[in-house]
Amino acid sequence: MHTNSHVNPVIVASENGRAGALAAMELLRRGGSAMDAAEMAARVTEDDPDEHSVGFSGIPNLLGQVELDASLMNGRTLETGAVAGVQDYANVISLARKVMEELPHVLLVGRGAERLAAEIGQRPADQRTVESLERWRARFAEKGVDLTGMELRHLVARLTIPMHLQDKVPHGTVNYLVRDSHGDLASAVSTSGLGWKYPGRVGDSPIIGAGNYCDNRYGAAACTGSGELAIRVSTARSLILYMKMGMNLAAAGQECLAEIEQLSPQPGQYMNIVAMTPDGEHMAFSTEDDKRYLYYTGEMTEPALGERATTG
Ligand code: ASP
C-alpha cells in the first residue's frame, strides 16, 4: 500500500539503537525509504566497536569465532532477506539485503553467505577485537574450563546456557522498526547471537517470523533475548497475526509474552519484543521487569526511552 501522502516518520528500536536511530531519522527527514533507513541504522550499530552484541566486536562462540546473523523485511512487498553464521565479513544487514535483491532466496548461511559477500565486493575482515577475545578467554577462566580435548556439546550447559540469574550469558541484538514519510514500514535485526554459543547455532534474528516480521497492513515486530524461545512460538509473526485478527497492539504483545511463559523458560532466559502499528503507534514488551526500548518520531528532537510492558 504505497501512497504519496506525507506521514510522520517513526523509528522504534531496542535500547541500544540510539546512534542508528539518529542517522536513520536524518535520512527519513530527507524523504528516504524505510528500507534504506532500517539498513542504515543497523549498519551504524554493526560498525560500533563499543557495541559487543552486534557486528564488529560481537560476542564470540565457544571456539572464539564471531558468527553474525541478520535479517530485514520490506513491509510493502513482504520481501525479505537474511544471513546466518557469517564469519569474517562486516555489515551482515547489507548482505541480507543483497540476498533479498539479487537472489531468488531468503536465507543464506555460513560459507554461501560469505561467498556472496565476496562476490559483491565486501572485503573480508576479522570481526573479533582484542577485547572480544579477552572476554572469550575470561569466560573459560571464570568457569575453570580447559578447552583442550573437550567436546563442545559438554560445554554448552556450563558456558552457554545460564543456569543462574547471577550467571547471565551476554545477550544483545539490535532491532529497528521504521515507518517512512510515505507510510511504508521496514524492519531490520542484526546480532552476534547468544554468547559462547555452539558453533553454527542460529537464533531468532535471521528467522523471519521468529525474530523479525513486517507488513504495511498490520505492523512490524522484532525480538531480542533468548532466540530459542522466539523460534519455538514464531513470536514476531504471531504478534502481527494477532493484530490482523483484530487484537490491539497491547493485547497482541501480551499474548506473545504468555506464549513465551508457557514454554517454561530456563532461569536466565527471557524475551523482549518491540512492535509498531501502521499508524506509528508503538509499544514494547518483555518477560523481565524494568526493560526499556527506544522510539524517535519525526517531530521529536532526539530519541526517547519508554518502558516495556511485562506480563500481568
Ligand atoms: N536473540 C538473539 C539470539 O538469540 C540474542 C539476543 O538478542 O540477545 O541470537
Side-chain angles (χ1 to χ4, degrees), residues 76-90:
R76 181 156 58 85
T77 62
L78 304 190
E79 289 172 302
T80 177
V83 292
V86 177
Q87 286 186 42
D88 297 329
Y89 284 93

Side-chain angles (χ1 to χ4, degrees), residues 97-120:
R97 187 161 183 181
K98 288 289 181 190
V99 171
M100 182 184 112
E101 290 176 348
E102 305 229 354
L103 293 174
H105 305 314
V106 163
L107 170 62
L108 286 189
V109 302
R111 283 196 301 275
E114 290 152 14
R115 185 183 183 105
L116 178 67
E119 278 186 16
I120 63 171

